[in-house]
């Protein structure tokens, strides 16, 4: 196999492995958005609960979407570095570590947001919201 072909194969395998280790990070913000939408539309919430949930986008969803952009940029940097036949493995590893940190931050934010929603609406209502099957084809993207 020519050298260029081998490099492209390595990049594709690396990108797939990098992005496929667990839930795709973009799913975190969608998961929180869906829980929030379901809670607001399906449950008979009090005014206090509605007010508390109104802060979710600013506190959790918008920052998660910013992290999604940071993650995409990080992936682009990694791929760009790997396009160079003389890439520096230490720099690629460093960027991969940064990318993984972003994914961890996003996961933590999603956990915190879902816990906040659960604490606001109660465990029984949270069960109702989380039992419904997601429809992944019609999201915001």
């Amino acid at each position: 196999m020519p050298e260029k072909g081998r490099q492209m194969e390595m990049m594709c395998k690396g990108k797939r492995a990098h992005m496929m280790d667990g839930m795709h990070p973009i799913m975190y913000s969608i998961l929180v958005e869906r829980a929030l939408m379901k809670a607001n539309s399906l449950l008979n919430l009090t005014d206090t609960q509605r007010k508390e949930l109104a802060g979710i986008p600013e506190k959790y969803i918008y920052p998660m979407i910013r992290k999604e952009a940071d993650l995409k940029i990080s992936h682009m940097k990694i791929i760009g570095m790997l396009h160079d036949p003389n890439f520096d493995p230490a720099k690629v590893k460093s960027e991969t570590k940064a990318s993984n940190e972003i994914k961890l931050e996003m996961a933590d934010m999603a956990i915190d947001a879902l816990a906040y929603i659960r604490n606001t609406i109660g465990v029984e209502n949270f069960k109702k919201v989380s039992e419904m099957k997601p429809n992944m084809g019609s999201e915001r993207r």
Side-chain angles (χ1 to χ4, degrees):
M1 179 180 285
E3 183 63 28
K4 189 106 174 140
R6 233 186 336 262
Q7 289 173 358
M8 290 300 288
E9 185 179 340
M10 281 177 30
M11 286 188 312
C12 289
K13 283 183 181 177
K15 185 175 182 183
R16 271 194 306 271
H18 185 68
M19 293 177 71
M20 300 302 271
D21 55 336
M23 183 170 21
H24 194 286
I26 200 170
M27 297 301 297
Y28 296 128
S29 63
I30 292 171
L31 188 66
V32 174
E33 283 177 312
R34 286 184 150 279
L36 183 60
M37 286 187 331
K38 289 177 186 176
N40 281 314
S41 64
L42 300 176
L43 302 176
N44 189 17
L45 300 175
T46 66
D47 287 341
T48 303
Q49 288 172 320
R50 287 191 187 284
K51 285 178 187 173
E52 286 186 39
L53 294 180
I56 296 283
E58 194 70 40
K59 187 173 182 179
Y60 297 105
I61 296 172
Y62 302 156
M64 288 171 65
I65 292 171
R66 285 186 193 100
K67 292 283 183 193
E68 290 172 10
D70 292 343
L71 184 63
K72 185 170 183 173
I73 290 168
S74 180
H75 286 172
M76 292 169 68
K77 286 179 180 180
I78 292 167
I79 297 304
M81 284 187 253
L82 292 174
H83 273 286
D84 179 359
N86 296 315
F87 68 88
D88 180 350
K91 286 183 181 178
V92 176
K93 289 177 183 180
S94 175
E95 190 61 39
T96 300
K97 183 177 180 179
S99 177
N100 287 331
E101 286 296 320
I102 294 168
K103 289 194 299 187
L104 180 60
E105 291 169 8
M106 291 171 65
D108 287 347
M109 292 169 85
I111 293 165
D112 291 344
L114 292 171
Y116 187 87
I117 292 170
R118 182 196 61 203
N119 292 341
T120 301
I121 66 175
V123 173
E124 289 305 313
N125 279 334
F126 189 76
K127 284 181 187 176
K128 292 176 191 173
V129 167
S130 61
E131 283 176 355
M132 306 194 88
K133 301 286 185 224
N135 177 9
M136 298 315 298
S138 62
E139 296 306 326
R140 63 179 158 78
R141 298 218 197 311

